[in-house]
Amino acid sequence: MHEKAMTSGTPWKLILRFAVPVGAGILLQQLYNIVDTVIVGNFAGEATLASVGTTNSLTLLFLALANGFSAGAGVIGAQLFGAKETDAQRSNASTAILLLLGMGVVSTILGIALCAPVFTHLLAVPDSLIGAAVVYFRVYCLGLVFQFGYNIIAAILRSVGDSKASLYFLLIASIGNVILDLLFVAGFGWGAAGAAAATGIAQAGSCIAAFLYMFRRYPNFCFRRKDWKFETTLAIKILRTGAPMALQQVVMSLSFLSIQRVVNSFGKAMTASFAVGQRLETYLHVPASALQITMATFSAQNMGAGDLQRTKSGMQQALWLSAFATLAASGVVYLFAYPVAGLFGLGELATWYCGQHIRTAAIGSVLFACYFPLLGLFQGSGHGLAAMVTAIGALGVRAASVYALSPLPFFDYRILWWNLYFGYSAGFLIAWMYYIGGRWKRNRLR
């Protein structure tokens, strides 16, 4: 098997080698979100862009489930890999794949059935935007099973130290999405539905490529019909381990759902601007997010091998990498915020809003980078609840500050961006208090 253990060698070199493909993969994922936004904004207009933007927080909700439960299975697999329990790894992978594909099917059904009332009553999407938003999201939901399928294969591969393969699969999806976006939206004029269809087809291609790669490259994960087994005990363990990670991301989605309601109240220009700004904001999180994912695998493998000191040393080095990389990215983004905002076909007012949003995020993301990788450490040692509490604290403060401060003249619409300062400060304090307290040192997955 082509497995790459992270239990020996210089920690920062291994962490960087693992994190670079993960970060590149996150960039590619964001790329086809940005491509949707650029093409829809330029070829379908600001109104359609605003409609698609209103679906962002709901698409994040389903992505949260896929990412969270896949990450839970991946952490279990990484600890089993660190402990050299090959048979248990295989059983974990089989159960996890079946579980996540089933969740993808259920999510498709629920998404199609519930999106219209959610947009109407929960998000208060304006009548002029809701038609295109519902069409976009229902078409998008048809590809959810592939999204869940891809995420679980990527998590299994990361658990054995293979982070590069995911990059190749996402490259397939990104190139496919760009071509199909241009064909469906710019060429055929299908608007929001075309953008959603392009994303779904691209995800399907990525998912199929991931399955084929895993089956051919890793004999231990090459399942024939008789090898597919669903073990209830393992499924419960995966759900229990992944639940805090999934809930963490679900709360993030719900927080942005609540913020989106306030965004919509400031008019179409703000809605379109926020759709762009929110997606560009995620680019600033790439270094910290890649290192958070990396530390979940690094800490799980080393905790599984019983090497606590190596886990701690790796965490300290990862935080330095996160801070320096984010600082460099934030400086570039701050300087070019307005030219970048101008690429999306926004009106003059929306472009100004977007530039302000991006510059605010560039400053705040440095603080985010100084604590977010710690969440990977907590997850890898079985303390996913601590990671969840940190994320919920940060996001809860963000949402609460929007509702509490937006009526005040000093803050007004600006709190739609400034809220991240309050949220990241809360996350920083919670994460570091738990880390210094040392409870994460007790491995809860063994």
Side-chain angles (χ1 to χ4, degrees):
M1 293 176 67
H2 303 267
E3 299 168 336
K4 304 170 184 67
M6 302 177 75
T7 51
S8 62
T10 307
W12 74 265
K13 291 182 179 179
L14 292 168
I15 289 168
L16 188 61
R17 189 180 304 142
F18 189 97
V20 167
V22 172
I26 295 173
L27 283 172
L28 285 172
Q29 280 186 310
Q30 297 305 324
L31 174 63
Y32 60 71
N33 286 332
I34 290 294
V35 167
D36 279 345
T37 308
V38 170
I39 294 177
V40 170
N42 281 280
F43 292 98
E46 188 175 284
T48 302
L49 175 60
S51 298
V52 173
T54 62
T55 72
N56 285 352
S57 42
L58 198 54
T59 58
L60 283 175
L61 182 62
F62 289 105
L63 184 60
L65 295 174
N67 280 340
F69 289 111
S70 295
V75 165
I76 294 171
Q79 288 220 354
L80 294 171
F81 176 63
K84 303 186 186 306
E85 297 181 19
T86 305
D87 291 339
Q89 269 185 277
R90 182 176 173 84
S91 298
N92 177 70
S94 172
T95 299
I97 292 170
L98 294 173
L99 177 64
L100 268 293
L101 289 176
M103 291 177 69
V105 172
V106 172
S107 296
T108 294
I109 296 169
L110 291 177
I112 291 173
L114 299 179
C115 65
V118 167
F119 291 146
T120 302
H121 303 295
L122 185 60
L123 290 180
V125 175
D127 292 341
S128 61
L129 304 179
I130 197 165
V134 170
V135 169
Y136 176 90
F137 193 75
R138 283 179 171 166
V139 175
Y140 169 84
C141 282
L142 296 176
L144 280 176
V145 68
F146 300 109
Q147 178 175 288
F148 277 76
Y150 164 76
N151 274 278
I152 187 55
I153 299 302
I156 291 169
L157 294 174
R158 284 196 299 268
S159 75
V160 297
D162 189 345
S163 62
K164 292 183 179 178
S166 300
L167 175 60
Y168 305 142
F169 310 145
L170 287 169
L171 185 60
I172 293 171
S174 298
I175 293 173
N177 194 71
V178 170
I179 294 171
L180 292 173
D181 260 326
L182 290 170
L183 180 64
F184 294 164
V185 180
F188 296 165
W190 289 352
T199 298
I201 294 170
Q203 286 178 334
S206 181
C207 178
I208 292 168
F211 269 94
L212 291 174
Y213 173 88
M214 185 183 73
F215 290 162
R216 293 182 180 180
R217 191 76 181 267
Y218 293 91
N220 195 42
F221 300 139
C222 183
F223 301 106
R224 297 178 176 82
R225 179 181 292 185
K226 65 179 181 179
D227 298 322
W228 288 105
K229 296 178 182 178
F230 184 86
E231 298 186 22
T232 304
T233 304
L234 267 176
I236 293 172
K237 186 176 182 180
I238 291 168
L239 291 171
R240 187 172 63 242
T241 305
M245 304 181 199
L247 185 58
Q248 167 189 327
Q249 296 190 50
V250 167
V251 169
M252 177 180 72
S253 303
L254 293 177
S255 297
F256 285 125
L257 277 171
S258 64
I259 293 173
Q260 185 71 52
R261 186 181 180 93
V262 179
V263 170
N264 293 342
S265 71
F266 283 101
K268 185 173 69 175
M270 180 62 79
T271 301
S273 161
F274 198 79
V276 174
Q278 193 177 35
R279 291 185 174 184
L280 290 173
E281 186 180 330
T282 61
Y283 276 86
L284 292 165
H285 297 165
V286 168
S289 297
L291 286 160
Q292 181 264 325
I293 292 170
T294 300
M295 284 311 302
T297 299
F298 181 91
S299 59
Q301 288 191 8
N302 283 282
M303 294 289 275
D307 195 340
L308 181 62
Q309 183 55 42
R310 181 177 171 80
T311 304
K312 185 175 180 179
S313 177
M315 183 69 258
Q316 293 168 350
Q317 293 172 37
L319 284 167
W320 282 109
L321 290 171
S322 177
F324 281 122
T326 302
L327 184 62
S330 294
V332 173
V333 169
Y334 188 91
L335 288 174
F336 295 99
Y338 286 99
V340 170
L343 298 175
F344 292 85
L346 299 171
E348 184 177 351
L349 179 60
T351 300
W352 185 83
Y353 283 150
C354 191
Q356 290 292 303
H357 185 161
I358 297 168
R359 284 193 162 181
T360 303
I363 297 171
S365 291
V366 178
L367 180 60
F368 176 84
C370 292
Y371 79 86
F372 199 69
L374 287 170
L375 275 58
L377 171 67
F378 301 155
Q379 292 165 347
S381 60
H383 292 253
L385 185 62
M388 182 190 75
V389 170
T390 302
I392 288 177
L395 294 164
V397 168
R398 289 189 67 173
S401 65
V402 168
Y403 279 87
L405 301 177
S406 60
L408 303 181
F410 177 76
F411 290 99
D412 195 33
Y413 61 83
R414 297 175 188 85
I415 195 60
L416 297 176
W417 317 312
W418 291 356
N419 69 81
L420 60 85
Y421 294 142
F422 300 105
Y424 293 165
S425 297
F428 181 91
L429 291 173
I430 296 169
W432 275 100
M433 287 172 61
Y434 195 84
Y435 178 77
I436 293 171
R439 294 180 63 185
W440 61 270
K441 297 177 183 178
R442 295 195 294 272
N443 186 357
R444 289 182 173 173
L445 291 179
R446 303 299 294 167

